[in-house]
Amino acid sequence: MAAPLSPVRGMNDVLPEDEALWERLETEAARLFKAYDYRRIRIPVLERTELFRRSIGELTDIVEKEMYTFEDRGGDSVTLRPEATAGIVRACLTHGLLHNQQQKLWTSGPMFRREKPQKGRYRQFHQLSVEALGFEEPEIDAELIVMSARLWRALGVRPTKLLINSIGTPESRAGYKEVLVRYFSAHYERLDEDSRRRLERNPLRILDSKNPEMQELIRNAPVITEYLDEGSREHFERLRRLLEDAGIEYEVDPRLVRGLDYYTRTVFEWVTDRLGAQSAICAGGRYDGLVEQLGGRPTPAVGWALGVERVVELMRLDEAVPPPAGPDVFIVSAGDAARRAGFAVAEALRDRVAGISVSIGAPSAGFKSQMRRADRSGARFAVIIGDDEVAAGRYSLKPLRTDEPQEALELDELVRRVSSAPGPRE
Ligand code: ATP
Ligand code: MG
């Protein structure tokens, strides 16, 4: 026998036992996006490499080290998307969705980054992403943050903290960059290799370093707050007031800059201290320059992305979801005619009872083994069918979770009984 193949490192299977958590998150998120009038868009997982280079930025961890980039058979350089914002903006430009229009969009799906796999950090992971394009008002930044807070409430999860900051406009950042370059140059010997490379062209990136040895230096670096332009300062003040009005607690973290180049003004991150080193569960910000950078007209925009695996893990810790329910009904049959009838009864139940889940198990197994499986499945009822029952046109309905007696019922009565029994699906 050939040895089974292993998966590609950092790429996970999501097993059925976790489905209840994933489904709950997806359902609540879809409901939430609708409540705020965001529409779904689906974009490809593969884009031209150029798109990410131009948007995320050359001197970022993602573009320098993490992208899955390859030549396709036609010789084009393509990349598995590391995030969704660039693709959404590209799609808006492709289809002219920003011509005299504003868009509120969301999407979900796998992202790919070749990072060092560890708990909470994978090479294929999933994000829910929301973007509002064409809006410059701080109300929209606030709306997006309030939305995420509402999602935590709906899911019953407790993130630890919301961090916010403003990184101003590219113009106002220029002055700050000079100050930063001076500061880090004065400590050149303490910079790691990445930071040295970024020092001249992209010193802000150094602030986003995850290297523990760099943290003290970063903590003592000058902060951007004092260099903000008047417009950004006012925008940020308004955002803060809106969050306060909405009762959202936050902490201003003047060192929060985020790992992608396209951000302007607002940046934010929801963090938790319960997932070890992987503390960010949802992050985003404003990217007023990106649409133009990708060839569109100047269009202000803001969005966030949530790490599905990390939020699912928090949901698990907070026991946000009951253990998965089994089927409602498990069919147990003995004999040839009974097998045929069992199959038909299962179909009839699915036809006539809305939302029901019915399992036919493995009908060739022995009666005892089928009964054992019915019991283990967590089903509320077994429908037991032997050749005698087929002849009589009555099937035995056996409650598996209560002490009520088993009854022999005609199909109509059986359907009524099953649909009126209280259960997880009602
Ligand atoms: P981190 O600081 O953990 O590297 P990031 O700043 O690179 O995160 P973003 O690009 O902001 O992450 O992506 C948004 C969210 O996606 C993160 O807050 C996180 O929850 C999730 N995420 C990012 N990278 C990974 C990964 N490799 N595996 C699992 N989830 C991830
Ligand atoms: Mg990262």
Side-chain angles (χ1 to χ4, degrees):
M1 225 168 32
L5 293 174
S6 56
V8 176
R9 201 161 121 80
M11 312 259 162
N12 297 316
D13 306 304
V14 180
L15 301 181
E17 64 206 42
D18 281 338
E19 182 52 24
L21 293 160
W22 282 67
E23 198 179 304
R24 168 101 195 270
L25 172 54
E26 283 160 3
T27 311
E28 292 292 353
R31 190 176 298 158
L32 176 83
F33 297 146
K34 192 153 185 240
Y36 285 82
D37 193 26
Y38 285 68
R39 298 185 303 156
R40 186 171 195 161
I41 182 169
R42 298 178 200 257
I43 52 169
V45 293
L46 205 60
E47 298 273 1
R48 290 173 200 276
T49 305
E50 184 63 18
L51 175 67
F52 303 115
R53 288 192 177 285
R54 266 166 66 183
S55 56
I56 296 168
E58 294 281 354
L59 293 172
T60 56
D61 278 349
I62 294 180
V63 171
E64 281 188 332
K65 311 183 238 193
E66 299 174 356
M67 295 203 303
Y68 280 92
T69 295
F70 57 95
E71 266 187 23
D72 73 5
R73 284 165 195 267
D76 296 325
S77 180
V78 292
T79 296
L80 284 169
R81 62 180 184 194
E83 54 100 48
T85 304
I88 289 184
V89 170
R90 198 268 313 133
C92 285
L93 295 177
T94 302
H95 303 283
L97 301 187
L98 299 174
H99 286 164
N100 306 316
Q101 296 169 69
Q102 296 165 318
Q103 297 288 343
K104 289 188 170 183
L105 303 170
W106 70 276
T107 198
S108 90
M111 305 297 156
F112 305 85
R113 297 184 193 177
R114 200 171 186 289
E115 305 194 65
K116 189 163 157 253
Q118 51 199 289
K119 191 165 170 54
R121 190 174 293 287
Y122 311 109
R123 290 180 170 180
Q124 172 175 313
F125 62 99
H126 295 73
Q127 286 184 343
L128 282 165
S129 323
V130 216
E131 320 286 350
L133 299 123
F135 300 90
E136 61 184 346
E137 300 87 347
E139 278 80 356
I140 309 304
D141 308 47
E143 174 177 273
L144 281 161
I145 293 174
V146 163
M147 251 166 96
S148 55
R150 191 181 290 276
L151 183 60
W152 312 139
R153 284 198 302 276
L155 294 173
V157 299
R158 291 170 286 117
T160 307
K161 236 183 340 211
L162 168 65
L163 304 175
I164 63 172
N165 192 23
S166 175
I167 58 172
T169 59
E171 298 75 47
S172 71
R173 255 192 327 257
Y176 175 62
K177 275 188 185 169
E178 277 174 33
V179 176
L180 261 193
V181 173
R182 268 204 298 280
Y183 169 79
F184 284 122
S185 300
H187 299 91
Y188 193 78
E189 74 293 347
R190 291 171 66 192
L191 296 180
D192 62 13
E193 196 191 317
D194 281 343
S195 305
R196 286 179 182 182
R197 196 174 45 233
R198 289 166 189 176
L199 180 60
E200 289 299 333
R201 278 169 59 201
N202 202 348
L204 246 76
R205 266 308 59 75
I206 300 176
L207 298 177
D208 196 47
S209 166
K210 301 272 152 49
N211 184 350
E213 283 160 26
M214 294 276 305
Q215 296 312 309
E216 199 197 321
L217 196 58
I218 291 171
R219 237 188 337 272
N220 294 320
V223 295
I224 198 162
T225 328
E226 284 144 44
Y227 299 85
L228 285 186
D229 55 287
E230 205 33 54
S232 298
R233 197 187 302 276
E234 194 197 318
H235 195 273
F236 193 48
E237 279 309 313
R238 281 176 184 265
L239 168 63
R240 294 180 57 170
R241 277 199 299 275
L242 288 163
L243 292 179
E244 281 150 25
D245 289 350
I248 308 276
E249 280 178 37
Y250 62 83
E251 195 178 302
V252 176
D253 177 354
R255 280 172 196 86
L256 182 69
V257 294
R258 311 273 305 113
L260 300 83
D261 277 355
Y262 52 57
Y263 287 110
T264 52
R265 295 192 164 171
T266 313
V267 291
F268 63 90
E269 218 168 85
W270 285 96
V271 296
T272 172
D273 55 13
R274 291 185 300 148
L275 296 179
Q278 276 35 270
S279 61
I281 57 167
C282 175
R286 184 161 274 285
Y287 49 95
D288 291 343
L290 182 61
V291 176
E292 191 179 11
Q293 213 171 303
L294 291 178
R297 289 186 213 141
T299 308
V302 52
W304 54 247
L306 166 163
V308 172
E309 282 81 356
R310 294 184 194 173
V311 172
V312 161
E313 195 51 37
L314 265 193
M315 290 169 71
R316 196 194 319 277
L317 293 176
D318 284 336
E319 296 175 358
V321 165
D328 300 294
V329 175
F330 202 102
I331 308 281
V332 173
S333 59
D336 252 358
R339 263 170 83 170
R340 226 174 120 190
F343 196 89
V345 169
E347 279 296 283
L349 284 167
R350 295 183 192 114
D351 280 342
R352 295 167 63 179
V353 184
I356 198 172
S357 166
V358 183
S359 175
I360 58 168
S364 70
F367 179 77
K368 268 199 186 142
S369 143
Q370 288 189 54
M371 277 309 293
R372 241 192 335 269
R373 284 184 216 193
D375 213 31
R376 265 196 234 131
S377 75
R380 290 183 294 133
F381 296 104
V383 172
I384 300 168
I385 308 176
D387 288 345
D388 294 347
E389 275 92 348
V390 178
R394 296 168 85 86
Y395 312 106
S396 299
L397 183 70
K398 182 177 165 65
L400 295 173
R401 310 279 146 233
T402 63
D403 294 332
E404 290 160 75
Q406 169 175 332
E407 289 175 282
L409 304 169
E410 283 175 9
L411 185 60
D412 285 348
E413 185 54 26
L414 188 134
V415 165
R416 260 198 300 282
R417 204 54 72 80
V418 169
S419 42
S420 64
R425 278 176 191 77
E426 271 120 53

